[in-house]
């Protein structure tokens, strides 16, 4: 174990004085020796050491408030805290209305939304991004129960970045604070576990948000549309990446046709799933279903004929004019995240009366997942997708 302390030296260092004469350095060594004595004197096993390590942050607040050393004997601080807890029972905080009574349980839900803009063009790079949210509901008895949740990644998981946490989170590892999507990814990026100690409110709340730069989008595709008078010919090819769980709650591709008349006729060939035609809405919906075939690739081709345009009823869009068109994917996969992020039930620590039941859930949802017609101009996103958390309720969150 390595002990370190950064002293504040407010005196002139030129000419350089003997280190032992600098009060900040002397106090630092005194504190480090005090920490060492507290952790190791009378230690019987690793469990006792872990208990003392968990007590250390509170003890340092007592022994060294605002960086001023008052007492290097941490056992004195521990005795003071224990005495205070006996003589002064915990008070109900003003922000917490009421307490929970009933069977203790903790529910953790991880939801990831994946965005993508795909063009199938050599001069335009495809973009994609994952935004995740961890939602918690802690039904625990007591005025101020403490909970620690750890998020973990598999060996090949994508590190979490740009982490925003709820104000109830009491502390964070410095590696979590410095992980940003602005920085280039490298092998040294922090990959967890990500620990969040907190005192939960009564209601369900979003513990944290994060982004991640996953190496590939879950579904890669191309879309081609060619205009021929009152008809358009379309070709679509979709491929599910081999690393993605092939078990959807639903998966469908919506192909809208803006600034045209109603659909009067459709001739098509589909390799998988079924096609639904909404004539008045000028919309095709390719229902893929719950699984891709073993080849992981599916295709759709056909010809769509339109009638006379009616400005009152037909869908209009200022961007999708002429050949500029898109296909939008909608899907959901349960018990899966694209980053691999999960909350291990056995790693959840609860400091409250009773043994709670731990429930964990995961899901991946598509969000703004577009594949643009490669035969026409299309809106372009430069670099990575802009971080967009508008679909989440952010307040009251802060970057720690």
């Amino acid at each position: 174990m390595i002990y370190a302390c950064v002293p504040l030296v407010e005196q002139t260092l030129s000419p350089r004085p003997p280190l032992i004469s600098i009060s900040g350095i002397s106090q630092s060594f005194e504190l480090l020796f005090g920490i060492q004595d507290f952790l190791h004197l009378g230690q019987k096993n690793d469990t006792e050491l872990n208990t003392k390590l968990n007590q250390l942050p509170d003890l340092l607040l007592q022994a060294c408030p605002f960086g001023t050393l008052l007492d290097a004997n941490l056992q004195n601080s521990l005795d003071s805290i224990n005495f205070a807890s006996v003589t002064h029972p915990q008070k109900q905080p003003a922000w917490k209305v009421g307490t929970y009574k009933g069977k203790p349980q903790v529910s953790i839900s991880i939801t990831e939304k994946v965005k993508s803009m795909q063009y199938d063009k050599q001069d335009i790079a495809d973009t994609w991004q994952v935004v995740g949210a961890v939602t918690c509901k802690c039904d625990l008895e007591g005025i101020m129960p403490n909970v620690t949740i750890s998020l973990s990644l598999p060996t090949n998981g994508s590190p979490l970045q740009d982490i925003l946490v709820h104000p109830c989170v009491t502390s964070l590892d410095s590696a979590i604070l410095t992980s940003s999507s602005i920085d280039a990814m490298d092998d040294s990026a922090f990959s967890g576990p990500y620990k969040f100690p907190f005192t939960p409110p009564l209601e369900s709340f979003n513990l944290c948000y994060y982004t991640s730069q996953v190496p590939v989008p879950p579904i890669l595709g191309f879309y081609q549309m060619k205009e021929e008078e009152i008809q358009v010919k379309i070709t679509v090819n979709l491929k599910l990446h081999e690393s993605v769980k092939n078990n959807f709650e639903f998966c469908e591709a919506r192909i809208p046709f803006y600034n045209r008349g109603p659909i009067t006729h459709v001739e098509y060939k589909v390799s998988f799933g079924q096609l639904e035609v909404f004539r008045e809405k000028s919309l095709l919906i390719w229902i893929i279903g719950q699984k891709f075939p073993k080849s992981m690739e599916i295709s759709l081709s056909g010809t769509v004929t339109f009638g006379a345009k009616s400005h009152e009823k037909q869908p209009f869009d200022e961007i999708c004019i002429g050949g500029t068109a898109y296909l939008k994917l909608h899907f959901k996969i349960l018990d899966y995240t694209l980053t691999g992020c999960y909350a291990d039930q056995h790693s959840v620590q609860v400091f409250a009366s009773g043994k709670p039941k731990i429930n964990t859930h995961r899901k991946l949802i598509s969000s703004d997942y577009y594949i643009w017609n490669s035969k026409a101009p299309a809106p372009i996103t430069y670099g990575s997708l802009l971080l967009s958390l508008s679909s989440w309720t952010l307040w009251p969150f802060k970057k720690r």
Side-chain angles (χ1 to χ4, degrees):
M1 190 173 293
I2 299 175
Y3 302 87
C5 187
V6 181
L8 173 64
V9 178
E10 297 181 292
Q11 67 188 67
T12 303
L13 299 180
S14 180
R16 186 172 180 175
L19 293 180
I20 196 67
S21 68
I22 300 176
S23 62
I25 293 179
S26 300
Q27 291 182 18
S28 297
F29 276 110
E30 186 180 4
L31 178 60
L32 292 177
F33 284 127
I35 294 174
Q36 186 180 38
D37 290 342
F38 171 74
L39 292 178
H40 296 288
L41 288 180
Q43 176 193 333
K44 297 178 181 179
N45 50 48
D46 290 341
T47 301
E48 188 173 326
L49 175 61
N50 289 332
T51 300
K52 289 185 175 182
L53 285 172
N54 289 332
Q55 294 171 336
L56 198 55
D58 290 333
L59 295 181
L60 290 175
L61 288 176
Q62 291 284 327
C64 195
F66 302 105
T68 301
L69 182 62
L70 300 181
D71 189 353
N73 189 335
L74 299 189
Q75 187 61 45
N76 292 340
S77 298
L78 180 61
D79 294 339
S80 175
I81 291 176
N82 291 337
F83 177 77
S85 64
V86 173
T87 56
H88 302 285
Q90 220 172 14
K91 292 184 178 181
Q92 179 90 358
W95 56 265
K96 191 171 185 179
V97 289
T99 57
Y100 174 79
K101 296 292 183 182
K103 292 183 178 180
Q105 62 177 355
V106 175
S107 298
I108 308 164
S109 178
I110 302 175
T111 301
E112 289 188 353
K113 294 185 177 182
V114 57
K115 305 168 179 284
S116 184
M117 295 278 273
Q118 299 179 28
Y119 303 97
D120 189 37
K121 294 183 177 183
Q122 292 183 349
D123 57 336
I124 304 177
D126 295 342
T127 58
W128 59 89
Q129 185 186 54
V130 171
V131 178
V134 180
T135 304
C136 297
K137 180 71 167 69
C138 300
D139 296 325
L140 301 170
E141 293 187 347
I143 296 175
M144 292 285 282
N146 292 313
V147 181
T148 297
I149 290 176
S150 295
L151 302 181
S152 301
L153 297 173
T155 304
N156 59 344
S158 300
L160 310 185
Q161 300 172 316
D162 304 318
I163 295 176
L164 297 170
V165 298
H166 193 276
C168 71
V169 175
T170 55
S171 63
L172 279 180
D173 190 292
S174 59
I176 297 177
L177 299 175
T178 56
S179 182
S180 171
S181 61
I182 298 176
D183 303 325
M185 291 292 292
D186 55 48
D187 295 336
S188 64
F190 182 66
S191 57
Y194 305 84
K195 293 188 177 182
F196 301 91
F198 60 94
T199 300
L202 290 176
E203 68 277 5
S204 177
F205 68 101
N206 291 317
L207 176 64
C208 70
Y209 296 99
Y210 60 85
T211 68
S212 184
Q213 301 177 48
V214 294
V216 292
I219 299 177
L220 191 64
F222 75 77
Y223 172 38
Q224 294 181 352
M225 186 186 80
K226 296 180 180 179
E227 293 184 281
E228 296 180 357
E229 297 180 353
I230 61 171
Q231 292 182 335
V232 295
K233 289 186 176 182
I234 62 171
T235 303
V236 181
N237 188 74
L238 300 176
K239 183 176 181 179
L240 180 68
H241 193 269
E242 58 186 9
S243 65
V244 178
K245 181 180 180 181
N246 189 12
N247 190 359
F248 295 80
E249 183 174 84
F250 65 85
C251 182
E252 64 183 32
R254 299 192 176 193
I255 310 173
F257 299 96
Y258 292 103
N259 310 314
R260 302 177 188 276
I263 296 175
T264 58
H265 183 69
V266 178
E267 292 182 3
Y268 68 92
K269 180 180 179 181
V270 63
S271 68
F272 192 80
Q274 61 186 40
L275 189 70
E276 292 189 357
V277 181
F278 295 83
R279 298 180 182 275
E280 292 300 322
K281 295 182 179 179
S282 301
L283 173 67
L284 302 180
I285 298 182
W286 182 10
I287 300 176
I288 298 165
Q290 296 181 325
K291 283 183 177 291
F292 273 62
K294 290 184 178 180
S295 65
M296 300 294 187
E297 291 191 53
I298 56 177
S299 62
L300 164 68
S301 60
T303 302
V304 183
T305 305
F306 301 92
K309 186 189 300 184
S310 172
H311 293 288
E312 295 181 358
K313 296 182 179 180
Q314 302 315 126
F316 171 79
D317 188 275
E318 295 181 352
I319 296 177
C320 296
I321 298 174
T324 300
Y326 64 82
L327 170 155
K328 187 176 183 181
L329 280 173
H330 298 260
F331 58 83
K332 179 192 288 188
I333 307 177
L334 298 180
D335 195 27
Y336 177 78
T337 53
L338 201 57
T339 61
C341 180
Y342 66 95
D344 185 3
Q345 293 180 343
H346 303 291
S347 68
V348 178
Q349 296 178 309
V350 178
F351 303 94
S353 59
K355 185 177 181 180
K357 180 182 179 181
I358 310 297
N359 302 308
T360 60
H361 308 278
R362 299 191 298 168
K363 61 185 174 183
L364 174 69
I365 304 174
S366 63
S367 173
D368 299 331
Y369 205 105
Y370 294 96
I371 301 174
W372 290 88
N373 177 20
S374 61
K375 297 295 184 180
I380 300 172
T381 56
Y382 292 93
S384 61
L385 287 176
L386 293 176
L387 173 60
S388 174
L389 298 175
S390 58
S391 56
W392 306 98
T393 304
L394 281 180
W395 187 89
F397 272 70
K398 58 187 177 182
K399 179 80 174 180
R400 297 192 66 95

